[in-house]
Amino acid sequence: MTTLLVADHDNRVLSDATARALTALCALDDAVHVLVAGHQARPVAEQVAKLHGTGRVILVDDAAFAHGLAEPLAALILSLAADYRVIAAPATSGGKDVLPRVAALLDVMQISDVVRVVSPDTFERPIYAGNAIAVVQSTDEKKLLTIRTSAFAAAGTIAVAVPIEEVVPPQGVWLARFEGETLSSSDRPDLASARIVVSGGRALGSAEKFQEIIGPLAERLHAAIGASRAAVDAGYAPNDLQVGQTGKVVAPDLYIALGISGAIQHLAGMKDSKIIVAINKDEDAPIFQVADYGIVGDLFEIVPELEKALG
Amino acid sequence: MKKILVPVKMVLDSNARPRVRTDETGIDVAGMRMSINPFCEIAVEEALRLKEAGAAEEVVVVSIGPAKAQDTLRQALAMGADRAMLIQTDETVEPLAVAKLLCAVAREEVPDLVILGKQAIDDDCNQTGQMLAALLGWPQATFASAVRFAENRLLVTREIDAGLQTLSLPLPAVVTTDLRLNEPRHCALPNIMKARKKSLTVCVPADYGIDIGRRLKIVAVRPPAGRKPGIRVATASELVSDLRAAGLV
Ligand SMILES: Cc1cc2nc3c(=O)[nH]c(=O)nc-3n(C[C@H](O)[C@H](O)[C@H](O)COP(=O)(O)OP(=O)(O)OC[C@H]3O[C@@H](n4cnc5c(N)ncnc54)[C@H](O)[C@@H]3O)c2cc1C
């Protein structure tokens, strides 16, 4: 019995999240099959085929999978489920959407946001916004897991690709209909996998200031841009940049928090970063409790100095 | 729509700091402030707005939890929900069992829409809505930041990793709420008084014949690894030289 990993992709590019989930699953099983369900997504399957740890690629090509909708994808995963002991997905918005749907129909209690594989049936996951780590043992025969990708390094690539097998999807009537999407376009690195993240909070004060202050510093550091919920709610930054309990969880080598107070819900998304830098004018701001380097002061003065010092 | 069903959960207040029990069995919530899960509050608010806009006739709230969860239901009633149901248990009920109970409630109540929070801020599972949609065989739209009802369909904008996606769903359907969907109203005192007179029925999981036994055994609950104390630096150039020395920039 092997493991099935549901790949996260946009029909052209495999997300780094899949390669990270693969690393987690390789600790469980030496034969991980990766499912690429998409529309004209063969390029994605070819990328998967060269990841270290992929035993086989299952490619399913159908217009129903063009936008990753939960109903057809859940039906497809269910049709393959009998062959697998473990069914997993990275804890991306797509994985979180579809996997519980599969779990319910298999009568399995899913384990969300796995950060460590202890044994084939025991896993660690954060609860209470990361204020505690639960070690849970599944008594279900099958294990359904979403993997918190920030906790694992991405699997490397191999020279010789594994085979890609095409499978015909089950037919069905899908009720939800795709109407459209607004995808953020940014020339900055991807937030979830960047080596450096520069994040701004409510203190930035406006969308213009956010761009003016955070943008150049991020560019200079080749960093991804993040934001607190307050900054996103106020419209300074788009929703897909939110870091935290209910946004993205990141663990870069360097996380720079500018004008962010450090509420537990924000810390939940970044406190596993290797090095944290905080700049805040309030010396009692909780962000300083997790910061390796803190500067107390006005970010509007300090950030330009920082850029100058970086040269 | 005739009816909207809103499941709500009582959780440790989002401003409280969870205390991990020293015997590693869980979180000690004794004497701590309990509140409606923020995502559930947003779900109640959205249901009420649909009703107030004439898109729905009745809003029913349901909770699964201890007797004290009646407070959470009373809050939803004070916000404007029409009636409430508590499925009372002192056990920790996992999302799969919650979804099964809600499925049974939905079969009885026959709502056109079930709207609920995308996750509870205690177990952070993010599963119940999707599981419920699966068990009912209904379409789902998770992580909603906008909901519109028109021509008997729901148009739901979802927050996804790459931006925003819009789905159109026929009814009945399941929607889970994200934070930016709305800002819940405050309850005025007269409404809190009125809520005391609204119907709140209590039953137990066994009434639905559903086994709520746990599938996940809690081996231990521990505090997270701490971070080592950091340092204060006075200037940006000092910071840059430290980061350079660490090979970070
Ligand atoms: C259910 C729930 C889920 C949540 N999920 C998330 C989440 O995923 N992510 C998230 O971020 N939040 C989340 N929150 C919100 C969180 O609780 C905080 O409200 C939020 O993180 C605050 O954002 P902030 O730090 O930008 O703003 P504030 O808390 O207002 O902090 C602004 C900071 O900027 C400092 N400042 C002001 N001016 C300057 C200046 N000129 N120079 C330097 N410093 C300055 C201030 O001292 C202050 O510390 C959630 C809340 C709830 C209830």
Side-chain angles (χ1 to χ4, degrees):
Chain A
M1 291 297 251
T2 47
T3 294
L4 182 69
L5 169 61
V6 184
D8 183 75
H9 63 87
D10 64 0
N11 294 311
R12 288 178 302 111
V13 183
L14 180 72
S15 84
D16 176 70
T18 311
R20 289 168 181 258
L22 193 55
T23 299
L25 297 169
C26 285
L28 268 177
D29 206 327
D30 42 34
V32 180
H33 295 179
V34 183
L35 172 64
V36 176
H39 187 42
Q40 294 162 357
R42 182 163 276 275
V44 176
E46 284 163 2
Q47 293 158 50
V48 176
K50 286 198 166 171
L51 281 181
H52 179 80
T54 302
R56 182 192 296 173
V57 183
I58 302 170
L59 172 62
V60 186
D61 206 315
D62 193 296
F65 303 115
H67 304 287
L69 264 49
E71 287 169 74
L73 188 53
L76 170 64
I77 299 168
L78 273 170
S79 73
L80 301 170
D83 294 338
Y84 298 97
R85 192 188 70 88
V86 178
I87 301 174
T92 55
S93 55
K96 290 175 185 170
D97 186 41
V98 74
L99 213 65
R101 214 175 154 105
V102 178
L105 295 174
L106 291 171
D107 195 28
V108 171
M109 177 54 206
Q110 174 182 312
I111 302 178
S112 298
D113 280 308
V114 169
V115 292
R116 198 165 89 85
V117 175
V118 179
S119 75
D121 64 0
T122 306
F123 307 89
E124 288 186 8
R125 61 177 303 267
I127 55 174
Y128 287 88
N131 278 289
I133 303 291
V135 186
V136 295
Q137 182 177 25
S138 165
T139 59
D140 286 313
E141 205 165 301
K142 283 190 198 293
K143 316 297 175 203
L144 270 86
L145 315 171
T146 62
I147 309 295
R148 177 166 287 192
T149 54
S150 61
F152 301 91
T157 50
I158 48 169
V160 184
V162 300
I164 298 173
E165 180 193 333
E166 276 214 50
V167 167
V168 180
Q171 294 303 304
V173 180
W174 319 121
L175 298 166
R177 194 167 71 202
F178 175 80
E179 288 288 330
E181 60 193 3
T182 321
L183 302 183
S184 299
S185 62
S186 162
D187 38 17
R188 300 257 50 82
D190 173 44
L191 176 57
S193 55
R195 210 177 66 81
I196 303 180
V197 173
V198 179
S199 274
R202 193 198 309 270
L204 272 305
S206 68
E208 293 71 36
K209 281 283 170 204
F210 193 95
Q211 258 317 312
E212 197 182 306
I213 299 284
I214 308 286
L217 181 60
E219 185 139 338
R220 170 63 189 78
L221 293 169
H222 310 291
I225 295 178
S228 71
R229 174 185 169 190
V232 176
D233 283 358
Y236 307 166
N239 66 280
D240 50 293
L241 298 190
Q242 181 174 314
V243 171
Q245 180 184 20
T246 54
K248 286 187 179 144
V249 178
V250 300
D253 290 345
L254 177 60
Y255 187 91
I256 303 179
L258 302 171
I260 292 178
S261 61
I264 58 167
Q265 294 88 0
H266 188 79
L267 301 186
M270 46 63 78
K271 73 179 165 51
D272 292 325
S273 304
K274 289 205 185 70
I275 295 291
I276 297 171
V277 170
I279 299 175
N280 195 304
K281 69 177 183 191
D282 173 9
E283 63 170 346
D284 295 323
I287 189 77
F288 287 125
Q289 291 165 18
V290 298
D292 299 279
Y293 300 99
I295 300 184
V296 179
D298 186 342
L299 73 93
F300 295 103
E301 287 166 19
I302 294 166
V303 173
E305 289 168 18
L306 197 56
E307 276 173 65
K308 213 179 287 159
L310 285 163
Chain B
M1 286 185 274
K2 282 201 109 54
K3 194 189 286 182
I4 302 177
L5 182 68
V6 191
V8 296
K9 184 179 186 183
M10 180 181 75
V11 295
L12 181 65
D13 188 85
S14 64
N15 293 310
R17 195 161 257 292
R19 293 187 309 246
V20 179
R21 286 203 199 100
T22 49
D23 64 2
E24 298 195 337
T25 55
I27 302 294
D28 184 10
V29 295
M32 305 276 275
R33 186 185 155 84
M34 305 301 282
S35 297
I36 185 170
N37 178 44
F39 292 92
C40 301
E41 192 178 11
I42 291 169
V44 174
E45 177 66 33
E46 197 64 19
L48 295 174
R49 288 187 190 186
L50 285 164
K51 183 182 164 184
E52 286 157 4
E57 288 168 24
E58 190 187 22
V59 175
V60 180
V61 288
V62 55
S63 190
I64 295 152
K68 194 171 158 48
Q70 289 195 22
D71 299 350
T72 301
L73 290 168
R74 289 282 172 212
Q75 185 186 336
L77 293 172
M79 286 171 75
D82 297 293
R83 63 189 166 85
M85 269 189 274
L86 174 65
I87 305 176
Q88 192 177 323
T89 171
D90 288 329
E91 302 296 320
T92 301
V93 190
E94 293 169 343
L96 179 63
V98 171
K100 288 178 185 175
L101 287 165
L102 293 176
C103 179
V105 171
R107 292 235 158 88
E108 258 176 39
E109 290 283 338
V110 203
D112 303 285
L113 169 66
V114 180
I115 184 164
L116 68 172
K118 77 165 181 180
Q119 77 192 69
I121 60 166
D122 49 6
D123 64 22
D124 282 332
C125 278
N126 196 332
Q127 299 175 359
T128 304
Q130 297 88 312
M131 287 181 159
L132 175 63
L135 296 176
L136 289 166
W138 292 4
Q140 70 187 46
T142 51
F143 327 145
S145 64
V147 173
R148 220 154 42 83
F149 180 66
E151 289 159 27
N152 248 354
R153 292 180 78 93
L154 281 177
L155 213 54
V156 182
T157 303
R158 311 175 53 225
E159 294 200 355
I160 59 171
D161 287 349
L164 297 169
Q165 179 188 67
T166 302
L167 299 182
S168 161
L169 279 66
L171 300 175
V174 174
V175 171
T176 77
T177 60
D178 218 315
L179 292 172
R180 274 172 284 277
L181 181 55
N182 61 49
E183 219 170 290
R185 67 195 65 189
H186 294 289
C187 302
L189 194 59
N191 292 343
I192 296 173
M193 304 302 283
K194 261 210 313 232
R196 293 198 187 142
K197 296 205 190 76
K198 289 185 182 172
S199 155
L200 192 166
T201 57
V202 180
C203 59
V204 293
D207 294 340
Y208 295 96
I210 285 163
D211 171 18
I212 59 162
R214 298 198 61 143
R215 303 290 187 83
L216 302 182
K217 191 173 151 234
I218 303 293
V219 179
V221 173
R222 304 188 180 117
R227 291 187 68 91
K228 55 177 187 355
I231 57 167
R232 289 287 159 91
V233 288
T235 64
S237 52
E238 208 181 306
L239 174 65
V240 169
S241 55
D242 282 347
L243 295 179
R244 281 226 167 93
L248 286 161
V249 296

